[in-house]
Amino acid sequence: MHYHDNVDYPPLLSRPNVFFPLLAAVFAGLWWFNAGDSAIGRLVAGIIPEGASPATQTLATAVIVTAFLAFNIVVVMRLPLRQQVWLVWGELAVVILLFFYSFDLSFAFIQRKIGFLLTQGLVTTLYISAVSITIATILALMGAIAKLSSNGIAQGIAHFYTSLFRGLPLLMQIYMIYLGLPQLGYVVDAVPTGIAALSLCYGAYMTEIFRAGIESIPKGQWEAARALGLRPGAVMTRIILPQSMRVIIPPTGNQFISMLKDSSLVSVVGVWELMYLARTQGQTEFRHVEMMITASLIYWLMSIVLELIQKRIETHFNKAVTR
Amino acid sequence: MIPAPQIAAGAGAGGAAIEILKLSKWYGALQVLHDVDLVVDRGERLVICGPSGSGKSTLIRTVNALEGFQRGEIRVGGVKLTREPAVVEAVRRNVGMVFQQFNLFPHLTVLENCALSLRLVRGLSGPEARERSMHYLTKVRIPEQAGKYPAQLSGGQQQRVAIARAIAMQPEVMLFDEPTSALDPEMVKEVLDVMVGLAEDGMTMVVVTHEMGFARQVADRVIFMDAGRIVEQAPPEVFFTRPQSERTRAFLQQVLPH
Ligand SMILES: Nc1ncnc2c1ncn2[C@@H]1O[C@H](COP(=O)(O)OP(=O)(O)OP(=O)(O)O)[C@@H](O)[C@H]1O
Ligand SMILES: [Mg+2]
C-alpha cells in the first residue's frame, strides 16, 4: 500500500533566518535592477508624489514589492496545502500575463486574427499531434515488446529503430522525409511528412518508456499469469500493461506535451499549423509580438488540458495502490 | 492450428498424474537437476523438502513449463510436455500453482483475480466466473474480502486468495512452492488448514515445504532432494523416524523442532 507523503521541512515562517534574508535578497535585486524604471515602477509612480527622483522611485518600488511579497507569503502560509498550491499557481499566472500585457499589444489586431489562428492553425496542430501521438504509441508498444522478445531479428530492428530516430534531430528527420524520399521516387505531402517524422521520433523515445514500464513488473506476475494458462497476448494486455501504466503514464504525458510543441517544427515544410501562422500573420502589419504571444498562450492552454487528462488517468491506474 | 491435446479426465483412474523420466536441467554450465525420476499418482499428496538451492522449485516449475529442460521427459496426465504452445497451454490448464510470494495481480480485486482466468481460459461468462470465484473464495474462508485489492489483505489472506484462484480453475494437479515461507508465523496455520482441506477433497498435490507437521499430517510420500537429485523418498512415518541417508538425517535435525 502506498501512502502519499511530502518532502518535509520546517515552514518558512518558523525560520526567520531564512525568511528575512530572502526578503532582503528580493529587495536588493529590485534595487540592483532599477525596478523604478520598470513596468511595476511606472505603476508605483502613480501613487508617490510627482517629480520624485529616479532613486526614490526605485526605493519606493522595491519597498512596496517586497512588502507585498512578505504579506502574500504570510497569508498563503495560513491556508491548507491544496489552496496554497492553487493560489500560488494563479498568482504566478497573473504575473506572466502582466508581463505579456506590458508589451503594449494591439488587441484589435489579435481579435482580427485569432479566428484564423484557431480554425486553421490550432486545428492543424491538434490534428497532426493527435494522429502522431496515436501512431507513436503503437510504434512504442511494438518496439518495447520487440526489445523484450526472445526473437533476435525483432530485437535487432527495435534497437536500430530507437538508436536512429532518437539519434537524429527531429528537424533533420522532417527534411529527410520531405526532401529525401522524393529522390527515391516517393513524393510525400507536407502534413504526412510531419506526422511521419513526429510518429517515428516520438515512437522511438516512447519505446524506451514502455520498455522500462514493462520491465518494472516483477517476474512473478508473468509466471502467475502463465501458470493460470493465459495466452501471451492476454498476459500482456490484462496483467502486465495495466500495471506498467503507473510507470508509463507520467513520462508519456511529458512526451505528449513535448510533441504538441514540437509539431511546430513541421512549419518548416510549409504546413499551416499554429506556429507557421503565428510567424506569417504578424508580418504584414509588423505585429509579430501579438501573434507570438497569442500562439504561446494557445500552446500553453493545450498543455494544461493534457496535464489535466494525465492527472485523471494517473488517478485511475493508481486506484489499486492508493487509498 | 494444431488441435489442443486433451488430457483424458480420470483416464485409468489412479494412473499417473505426473511422470518425470530422467529429467536433467542446466542453467548455463550449472546442472541443477540430475536424471530425476518421479511419478506422482492421481490423488497422491507429495511433499518435497531439501536444502536451499537443491532444485525443488526448479523441479516443480518444469512440470507446468515455467522452466524448460534439456534432457528427459515429462508427462502430465499422459500428455508429453513439449515446447509447442498448444501443448504447454493444455498442460497449464490442468496444473494449478501457488507461489511463495502469492503473486496476486495487484491491479485487480480479489474477485477479479479469480474470475479473470476463468473467463479468458475456461471461457466462462462474467456472471458464471464470478459465481464460481465466490464459491472458491468461500472455500478458502475469505468471501467477505472479494471486493478488496490484494494490497489491503494480510499475507495469509493473500495466499488463500492465490489458492482459491488456482483451484477455481479446477486443475487435476496443484503445485505449491513454499506457500507459507513468506508468511508471518501466526498466518501459517490458516493457509495450511486450507491446504489440508484441499487434500481431504482428494486433490493431487505436490508441495515444496519445510512445514514438517503438514508433511506428517497429509503426505502420502515425502521426498528429500539435495544437489539436484532425489536422495530419499518414503511415507512420512518412515521418512521422519528412520531416514536412510546421512544427508536426510542432517537436514531433518535442522528443520524439526527439538
Ligand atoms: N534463473 C536461474 N538462473 C541461474 N541459476 C538458477 C536460476 N534459478 C535457479 N538457479 C539455480 O538453480 C539451483 C536450484 O534452484 P532452486 O530455486 O530450484 O532451488 P530450491 O531448492 O527451490 O531452493 P530454495 O529452497 O532456496 O527455494 C540453485 O543453485 C540456483 O542458484
Ligand atoms: Mg525454491
Side-chain angles (χ1 to χ4, degrees), chain B residues 186-257:
Chain B
E186 73 271 20
M187 293 171 186
V188 170
K189 185 170 179 303
E190 66 188 57
V191 171
L192 290 180
D193 284 349
V194 166
M195 291 170 62
V196 170
L198 203 55
E200 284 165 358
D201 291 348
M203 174 67 80
T204 309
M205 293 165 73
V206 179
V207 186
V208 175
T209 185
H210 291 162
E211 291 294 334
M212 292 302 142
F214 174 80
R216 275 208 181 93
Q217 191 183 346
V218 298
D220 298 312
R221 186 162 44 132
V222 182
I223 283 187
F224 176 71
M225 281 186 78
D226 192 21
R229 291 190 173 84
I230 293 178
V231 175
E232 182 158 355
Q233 46 183 318
E237 50 292 358
V238 180
F239 184 87
F240 290 112
T241 50
R242 300 187 297 279
Q244 300 298 304
S245 92
E246 190 48 50
R247 274 185 287 178
T248 314
R249 272 195 289 275
F251 176 76
L252 285 177
Q253 288 247 308
Q254 283 170 2
V255 296
L256 286 179

Side-chain angles (χ1 to χ4, degrees), chain A residues 76-98:
Chain A
V76 169
M77 290 305 242
R78 294 181 179 281
L79 297 172
L81 181 66
R82 278 186 79 80
Q83 289 178 26
Q84 288 184 12
V85 174
W86 287 113
L87 187 60
V88 171
W89 199 104
E91 285 175 350
L92 290 173
V94 168
V95 170
I96 266 290
L97 291 177
L98 279 179

Side-chain angles (χ1 to χ4, degrees), chain A residues 6-316:
Chain A
N6 298 93
V7 181
D8 221 0
Y9 46 80
L12 192 54
L13 292 184
S14 69
R15 291 182 301 166
N17 53 346
V18 177
F19 186 51
F20 288 111
L22 181 84
L23 291 179
V26 170
F27 183 86
L30 289 163
W31 178 262
W32 180 259
F33 287 106
N34 255 328
D37 211 18
S38 68
I40 311 172
R42 264 172 265 127
L43 283 177
V44 171
I47 56 169
I48 57 172
E50 198 80 29
S53 72
T56 320
Q57 195 172 325
T58 295
L59 186 66
T61 308
V63 168
I64 289 174
V65 172
T66 309
F68 180 74
L69 183 72
F71 173 72
N72 190 31
I73 290 176
V74 170
V75 171
V76 169
M77 290 305 242
R78 294 181 179 281
L79 297 172
L81 181 66
R82 278 186 79 80
Q83 289 178 26
Q84 288 184 12
V85 174
W86 287 113
L87 187 60
V88 171
W89 199 104
E91 285 175 350
L92 290 173
V94 168
V95 170
I96 266 290
L97 291 177
L98 279 179
F99 170 66
F100 289 154
Y101 185 77
S102 72
F103 291 160
D104 195 14
L105 305 172
S106 156
F107 288 99
F109 180 77
I110 293 178
Q111 212 161 37
R112 219 165 350 108
K113 293 290 185 185
I114 187 135
F116 188 52
L117 229 49
L118 291 178
T119 53
Q120 171 64 38
L122 176 62
V123 167
T124 311
T125 292
L126 280 180
Y127 167 71
I128 292 178
S129 303
V131 176
S132 306
I133 280 171
T134 311
I135 300 177
T137 305
I138 296 168
L139 283 175
L141 194 52
M142 291 186 347
I145 292 174
K147 276 198 171 179
L148 297 172
S149 78
S150 49
N151 182 330
I153 297 174
Q155 272 194 37
I157 295 173
H159 277 112
F160 182 79
Y161 164 63
T162 49
S163 166
L164 183 68
F165 285 94
R166 287 200 302 172
L168 299 182
L170 179 55
L171 197 54
M172 207 75 87
Q173 295 178 34
I174 295 172
Y175 280 131
M176 283 204 316
I177 294 171
Y178 195 64
L179 305 174
L181 282 188
Q183 308 274 328
L184 302 177
Y186 300 102
V187 178
V188 190
D189 283 342
V191 171
T193 296
I195 290 176
L198 285 169
S199 305
L200 286 167
C201 181
Y202 276 84
Y205 281 108
M206 283 163 54
T207 294
E208 287 301 284
I209 296 175
F210 277 52
R211 181 186 59 77
I214 292 171
E215 280 184 331
S216 73
I217 305 305
K219 197 161 156 268
Q221 292 290 310
W222 295 84
E223 293 179 345
R226 286 181 189 144
L228 284 166
L230 265 58
R231 300 226 165 106
V235 175
M236 188 52 96
T237 57
R238 303 301 188 113
I239 305 302
I240 303 303
L241 281 180
Q243 294 184 58
S244 323
M245 284 303 158
R246 288 188 57 229
V247 181
I248 290 176
I249 301 258
T252 300
N254 250 352
Q255 295 290 300
F256 285 0
I257 289 172
S258 166
M259 179 194 281
L260 193 67
K261 291 167 297 155
D262 271 358
S263 71
S264 61
L265 284 174
V266 307
S267 63
V268 297
V269 291
V271 177
W272 284 26
E273 48 68 73
L274 195 49
M275 187 69 176
Y276 182 86
L277 294 186
R279 269 196 296 128
T280 51
Q281 291 295 301
Q283 259 161 15
T284 45
E285 299 178 37
F286 298 101
R287 292 255 173 230
H288 296 285
V289 181
E290 275 83 351
M291 289 294 94
M292 284 302 165
I293 288 178
T294 310
S296 302
L297 288 180
I298 296 174
Y299 276 117
W300 187 19
L301 275 178
M302 288 192 291
S303 303
I304 290 174
V305 171
L306 282 183
E307 277 179 46
L308 293 176
I309 296 174
Q310 177 190 334
K311 187 113 195 129
R312 294 203 69 139
I313 300 179
E314 267 182 50
T315 313
H316 171 77

Side-chain angles (χ1 to χ4, degrees), chain A residues 1 219-232 234 238-240 242-243 319-321 323, chain B residues 61 64 66 89 92-93 95 97 99 103-107 116-117 119-121 149 151-152 165-166 169:
Chain A
M1 188 73 58
K219 197 161 156 268
Q221 292 290 310
W222 295 84
E223 293 179 345
R226 286 181 189 144
L228 284 166
L230 265 58
R231 300 226 165 106
R238 303 301 188 113
I239 305 302
I240 303 303
Q243 294 184 58
K319 70 174 190 292
V321 287
R323 207 61 55 195
Chain B
R61 287 157 57 88
N64 65 348
L66 289 183
E89 247 170 59
R92 284 179 181 163
R93 249 175 249 210
V95 179
M97 187 159 197
F99 301 85
N103 294 346
L104 292 181
F105 305 131
H107 62 303
L116 182 74
S117 49
R119 283 192 287 113
L120 296 184
V121 181
Y149 285 97
Q152 293 170 287
R165 178 175 73 177
M169 296 291 285

